[in-house]
Amino acid sequence: MGAAAPLAGSQRLKHRALLLAQPLSAHLELTYRCNWRCLFCYNPRHSDLRGMRRDDWSAVLDDLRALGTLTVSLTGGEPLTHPDFLSIAAEVRRRAMALRILTNGALVTETVADAIAELGPVGVEMSLHGAAPMTHDRATAVPGSFDAMLAGLDRLRARGVPLLLKTPLTRLNEDELDGMIALAEARGVSYHVDPTITPRDDGDPSPLGYAPSPGGLDRLFRRLAARSRLPAVERQEDGVNCGLGRVTLAVDPEGNLYPCLQWRTTSLGNVRETPLRELWRSSPRRIEAAEVARSANDRLRAAGGAVSRFPFCPAIAAQRTGDPLLPDADHVARARAADRVRQGSA
């Protein structure tokens, strides 16, 4: 057997980070507050009981810098509703970390657009819930949200800010997929569709009622296959399923630290009580989560078939089945649908 091919630069970085448990990316949920009420949102509430201010987040950023974090994503809720959003974003850049902003765009005024452009983010991600105003506004439960989002998008686009439109595929918008793609292409904006709808973080399963139909899922996968973007994973022996507990972390609006954005089973502790870097380096819960990622890789490889070739999230599995290593029925259905499309287009 020949020698393994050398890893590219980015692959070497990630491989080393996985070995060292270096959190390359961090999601900071600045607030639960939001000016939209999306019907399938995973956030359980829209208010902060014990929110953190700029000084709290600055201490978090100091620890992230010390741990070698490269990219910080500011999200929520709606992060622009946090009174210190621009100051916190500036603190990210002051520490020479890349900044990503996840916003619904409705609060991006001309002044805010100027400030965001000045920060030089690597990307601003915004949600599109339909090609028609009626569909989008129904999903957000806020009349006028479609027009407000597009106005914010166009303000940032006029300033050359890198943009990504993201769509959670649902039964509400699955018939407008072509129109949403056309909308993004007409503006020269990158576009991403995700068919995964999750329960709320408090376990409420009601968002699952908006999951896309089998027909909608099939149409999405066929479009992705035509662009060579069908979701697929090549799992390696002795590999890991994902960066859970190793290269990614999340901090919620009240300071609870998690080993990834989706993983809400147990927190690693609270950064107001114990510095983030100490929690990350010493928490046995982080190590347990990291081992889940290794075990998931091994189990999926052993299972074979469609699920072995499809992306898998242990956090969502834990929500849906109570076992982070057990794919739920919807996940298996998505994996098989992607496999059928892959085989048909081969």
Side-chain angles (χ1 to χ4, degrees), residues 130-143:
M134 182 181 299
T135 307
H136 182 98
D137 293 358
R138 179 185 175 193
T140 65
V142 176

Side-chain angles (χ1 to χ4, degrees), residues 138-156:
R138 179 185 175 193
T140 65
V142 176
S145 60
F146 180 82
D147 291 337
M149 180 275 295
L150 285 184
L153 179 83
D154 289 339
R155 288 176 182 126
L156 292 172

Side-chain angles (χ1 to χ4, degrees), residues 19-40:
L19 292 175
L20 298 176
Q22 176 186 349
L24 296 178
S25 66
H27 280 79
L28 306 185
E29 297 178 294
L30 300 186
T31 179
Y32 284 120
R33 291 189 296 272
C34 188
N35 51 320
W36 289 0
R37 292 295 183 270
C38 296
L39 302 177
F40 37 80

Side-chain angles (χ1 to χ4, degrees), residues 127-205:
S127 296
L128 175 65
H129 297 297
M134 182 181 299
T135 307
H136 182 98
D137 293 358
R138 179 185 175 193
T140 65
V142 176
S145 60
F146 180 82
D147 291 337
M149 180 275 295
L150 285 184
L153 179 83
D154 289 339
R155 288 176 182 126
L156 292 172
R157 190 165 62 94
R159 291 160 173 82
V161 175
L163 296 166
L164 172 66
L165 274 175
K166 302 188 302 182
T167 292
L169 191 69
T170 67
R171 291 178 185 262
L172 301 177
N173 63 25
E174 60 183 25
D175 292 331
E176 298 182 10
L177 181 57
D178 287 341
M180 292 186 288
I181 293 172
L183 186 152
E185 290 179 344
R187 284 173 162 76
V189 175
S190 298
Y191 183 61
H192 175 73
V193 186
D194 188 350
T196 305
I197 303 297
T198 67
R200 300 197 200 285
D201 284 347
D202 61 2
D204 177 4

Side-chain angles (χ1 to χ4, degrees), residues 60-69 97 277 281:
V60 167
L61 293 171
D62 285 339
D63 282 350
L64 291 175
R65 181 67 180 144
L67 288 170
T69 299
M97 292 184 286
R277 76 178 86 176
R281 288 171 175 163

